[in-house]
Amino acid sequence: MTHLVPLAKEVDENKVTPGVLGFIVFAAMAVAVWALMKSMNKHMGKVDFKETPDAEETPAPGPTGRTSPAKG
């Protein structure tokens, strides 16, 4: 481990870069997000839903204000 000390002194203390490892991590995260978005689009395409009708189109409740008979 002591043989790495001279290499550390050659690094400019005012300049910090992510290097190749940072690029690889960023590229892997970008590919993962792309794959997740593609999968989400595929799953959302399979979803079949029906919209709820507007309040004007629903049947009016009975005279008691209830839509079904009361259980008591």
Side-chain angles (χ1 to χ4, degrees), residues 37-49:
M37 293 285 286
K38 190 171 181 175
S39 175
M40 182 191 68
N41 283 335
K42 186 172 75 171
H43 281 84
M44 291 298 286
K46 292 180 181 179
V47 174
D48 184 30
F49 67 94

Side-chain angles (χ1 to χ4, degrees), residues 6-7 10 21 25 27 36 42 45 47 52 58 60 65-67 69 71:
L7 293 175
E10 294 175 9
L21 180 62
V25 169
L36 286 170
K42 186 172 75 171
V47 174
T52 56
T58 56
R66 296 187 179 133
T67 56
K71 294 182 181 180

Side-chain angles (χ1 to χ4, degrees), residues 7-34:
L7 293 175
K9 295 198 185 248
E10 294 175 9
V11 176
D12 185 11
E13 294 178 4
N14 296 324
K15 182 180 177 185
V16 178
T17 61
V20 177
L21 180 62
F23 174 75
I24 291 172
V25 169
F26 182 78
M29 289 174 56
V31 169
V33 167
W34 175 78

